Amino acid sequence: ELRVCVRRMEEDEEDYGFEYSDEEEDEEEEVMIENQYYVSKSYIDSDVPRALASFEEVLKMETEKGEWGFKALKQIVKLLFRTSQFDLVLKRYKEMLTYIQSAVTRNYSEKSINSILEFISNTQNMVLLQQFYETTLDALTEAKNERLWFKTNLKLGKLLFDIEDYIRLNKVIKELHKACQNVDGSADLKKGTQLLEVYALEIQMYTATKNTKKLRALYEKALQVKSAIPHPLIMGIIRECGGKMLMGDLEFERAKTDFYEAFKCYDEAGNSRRIQCLKYLVLANMLARSEINPFDSPEAKSYVGHPEIVAMTNLVNAYTQKDVKDFESILEKQRDSIMKDPFIAAHIQQLLASFRTQVLLKLIQPYTRIGLDFISKQLNIPLLELEELLVTLILDKKIIGSIDQVEKRLILGNQQVQSSTEFYQSMNEWVNRVSSLKSSVEAVSLRL
């Protein structure tokens, strides 16, 4: 009986077995690969060569492409980029992209690719960055991942814009437009948000290339898109470019509105362009001859003391008080701060002329006669420049009066004095007669 019991015990032990199923073996293998990955990760900050070698072991341990191999390659790409091994980084990135169709989920692959593209986006090596984008686009086209393809193509477009490669950028924009269309070529209303992103990029290109005709048409079209919930940064770009266009058209009131909207959008997005747009708002406000202080709005008030805004704040104060000397002094002392922006620099002379005109019109109001020397000192401009300004204002009928060139006075009202305006008009008539006579003589000469 004892022997039978022992035998049964031995049989039971065999049944409980020390045999492993395939699933258990796979689990053990998975755990070993996972451990190897995390061990490798622990070397990243202390020993890069060792980390690279260790991640390579993860790849060798996998019998087929899997999640841990994908993760290992992602770390290898980042480490190679960090150590400037650019000859290898693109090769390993291409290898990583072969995993996205089978080894990892769609969401995780998108997150990882975005992570790497963001990681390398600060490089000054634009050629490498461009290769990364194009390699990614090829892989995403093959994987039929339209959403990430669109985002990556947008990033490529922004890169081409930054390096001013407008020919290739135009091709990318056309591809992006196709992605926002129905089969019949009409705009897909369900993709309004994406369409606005394309419009923003295209508007920037037309602004940079000064293609005002196309810019105006596209700007109006962008404002008509209602089926979208765009990121405030996108609307900030559209509004800023629109404001610059309107400034060129001398539509300062509309430009002021656009710059204000752009400022609010950038502020909401936490983008640094809000400071520049606030400067543009101040500029447009003064050119529009508005008496409203732009810093009175709740959104702008908190930026009054900002170091980059102080110069513009001082300009507004001098403008409000109609103090020409202080205005010009601020422009001179704060030249670097104000004039470093090409857009502002391009409008400063126009602003100065507009400001002097306002001061001049206010200055002469109580008078019927006023000396040019006195006006010249008040406006802080040479006498000749003052005469040119007065003639322009008289011809534009902003001043009803004339210039007494003998007494060097401005005569206001309908008093009859031989004026420089009449002189210029007489000279113009004389020039026209001489031109007509010249044409007649040339005609006779040809007949002879």
Side-chain angles (χ1 to χ4, degrees):
E1 288 181 3
L2 184 60
R3 284 177 188 169
V4 172
C5 287
V6 170
R7 244 181 232 153
R8 282 182 182 167
M9 286 175 67
E10 286 174 353
E11 285 172 3
D12 288 343
E13 283 177 2
E14 284 176 11
D15 290 338
Y16 274 82
F18 298 94
E19 295 176 5
Y20 293 97
S21 68
D22 290 341
E23 286 183 9
E24 287 172 332
E25 285 178 0
D26 288 344
E27 283 177 13
E28 274 198 13
E29 187 180 331
E30 182 83 8
V31 169
M32 287 173 67
I33 297 171
E34 183 180 352
N35 287 340
Q36 180 66 30
Y37 172 80
Y38 284 109
V39 167
S40 307
K41 210 171 176 184
S42 67
Y43 300 138
I44 287 176
D45 294 325
S46 58
D47 192 342
V48 171
R50 190 175 180 183
L52 283 168
S54 190
F55 281 125
E56 293 291 355
E57 285 300 314
V58 174
L59 296 173
K60 289 176 184 176
M61 290 170 71
E62 278 194 333
T63 54
E64 58 182 29
K65 291 178 181 179
E67 179 186 355
W68 297 108
F70 179 79
K71 287 183 175 182
L73 278 166
K74 184 171 78 169
Q75 296 300 336
I76 288 170
V77 169
K78 288 184 177 181
L79 287 171
L80 289 172
F81 181 81
R82 210 170 84 186
T83 53
S84 302
Q85 297 183 58
F86 301 135
D87 54 331
L88 292 173
V89 67
L90 192 61
K91 180 182 176 184
R92 302 316 295 271
Y93 181 63
K94 286 178 180 178
E95 186 181 344
M96 188 200 90
L97 291 175
T98 62
Y99 283 65
I100 65 174
Q101 292 196 52
S102 57
V104 288
T105 64
R106 191 185 186 92
N107 284 340
Y108 184 68
S109 68
E110 283 189 20
K111 186 179 176 183
S112 300
I113 290 170
N114 275 326
S115 169
I116 287 179
L117 293 179
E118 190 68 31
F119 183 77
I120 66 164
S121 63
N122 294 322
T123 182
Q124 298 302 311
N125 189 339
M126 294 301 172
V127 174
L128 178 68
L129 191 54
Q130 196 169 317
Q131 287 174 334
F132 258 85
Y133 286 139
E134 288 171 349
T135 300
T136 306
L137 288 170
D138 289 341
L140 294 174
T141 301
E142 192 177 334
K144 297 181 180 178
N145 190 330
E146 292 179 10
R147 183 175 63 179
L148 189 54
W149 176 91
F150 185 87
K151 288 180 181 177
T152 306
N153 224 2
L154 265 179
K155 287 179 179 178
L156 175 60
K158 288 169 187 173
L159 169 66
L160 294 171
F161 174 76
D162 289 339
I163 63 175
E164 300 179 4
D165 188 347
Y166 301 123
I167 294 173
R168 294 194 62 201
L169 173 57
N170 200 39
K171 291 178 182 176
V172 168
I173 287 172
K174 284 179 181 177
E175 289 178 3
L176 289 168
H177 270 301
K178 284 180 184 177
C180 298
Q181 292 174 346
N182 293 311
V183 181
D184 61 358
S186 61
D188 187 347
L189 298 178
K190 292 180 289 185
K191 294 182 178 178
T193 302
Q194 289 177 309
L195 187 60
L196 278 177
E197 289 183 285
V198 182
Y199 281 163
L201 182 59
E202 194 171 4
I203 281 172
Q204 283 178 290
M205 180 180 73
Y206 290 145
T207 302
T209 56
K210 295 181 170 49
N211 191 334
T212 310
K213 185 179 179 181
K214 287 188 176 180
L215 171 61
R216 187 175 288 105
L218 191 61
Y219 166 74
E220 296 296 342
K221 192 184 287 187
L223 294 184
Q224 297 304 314
V225 177
K226 304 299 180 185
S227 60
I229 309 174
H231 191 282
L233 178 61
I234 299 303
M235 288 312 298
I237 291 170
I238 292 171
R239 288 290 193 171
E240 180 188 347
C241 291
K244 287 180 176 179
M245 177 193 73
L246 292 166
M247 286 281 278
D249 294 342
L250 306 183
E251 294 188 50
F252 303 124
E253 279 293 340
R254 287 183 64 196
K256 186 176 71 170
T257 302
D258 265 16
F259 286 137
Y260 181 60
E261 291 300 323
F263 163 71
K264 288 198 298 181
C265 288
Y266 284 136
D267 196 37
E268 185 183 344
N271 189 277
S272 60
R273 287 296 302 170
R274 60 190 165 196
I275 300 299
Q276 286 306 108
C277 271
L278 189 52
K279 289 182 181 181
Y280 299 159
L281 169 61
V282 172
L283 178 66
N285 191 69
M286 289 188 285
L287 283 168
R289 301 185 181 184
S290 173
E291 296 299 326
I292 300 169
N293 191 328
F295 292 105
D296 286 344
S297 69
E299 294 89 353
K301 192 171 287 184
S302 58
Y303 291 93
V304 171
H306 193 284
E308 290 189 47
I309 294 294
V310 169
M312 298 302 282
T313 310
N314 293 337
L315 265 187
V316 170
N317 291 335
Y319 171 85
T320 305
Q321 294 165 17
K322 299 293 184 280
D323 189 332
V324 176
K325 289 180 181 177
D326 192 27
F327 193 87
E328 291 183 345
S329 174
I330 292 165
L331 282 178
E332 187 60 37
K333 290 177 182 176
Q334 303 288 339
R335 177 166 290 274
D336 291 342
S337 174
I338 295 171
M339 304 290 276
K340 68 181 179 182
D341 186 307
F343 179 74
I344 293 177
H347 288 85
I348 282 297
Q349 286 306 316
Q350 187 180 16
L351 173 63
L352 197 52
S354 173
F355 182 56
R356 284 171 177 163
T357 299
Q358 290 179 71
V359 174
L360 171 60
L361 293 174
K362 185 178 180 182
L363 178 67
I364 65 176
Q365 270 182 353
Y367 299 94
T368 55
R369 295 170 180 242
I370 182 170
L372 299 185
D373 286 336
F374 174 72
I375 301 174
S376 175
K377 286 177 184 176
Q378 294 299 309
L379 294 186
N380 199 31
I381 56 174
L383 200 58
L384 185 60
E385 195 174 331
L386 171 62
E387 282 198 29
E388 288 175 357
L389 177 60
L390 286 171
V391 168
T392 302
L393 292 172
I394 290 169
L395 290 173
D396 290 344
K397 301 191 184 305
K398 290 180 180 176
I399 291 178
I400 305 300
S402 55
I403 299 172
D404 184 341
Q405 290 182 308
V406 177
E407 299 293 333
K408 294 293 179 184
R409 287 184 296 189
L410 173 66
I411 313 299
L412 295 160
N414 295 318
Q415 300 176 57
Q416 296 297 314
V417 176
Q418 178 62 33
S419 70
S420 59
T421 307
E422 292 168 349
F423 171 75
Y424 286 125
Q425 288 173 340
S426 300
M427 285 295 292
N428 190 46
E429 289 174 11
W430 179 78
V431 168
N432 289 336
R433 285 173 187 167
V434 170
S435 297
S436 177
L437 179 61
K438 180 174 176 288
S439 299
S440 299
V441 171
E442 285 175 349
V444 171
S445 299
L446 286 171
R447 288 195 203 106
L448 295 174

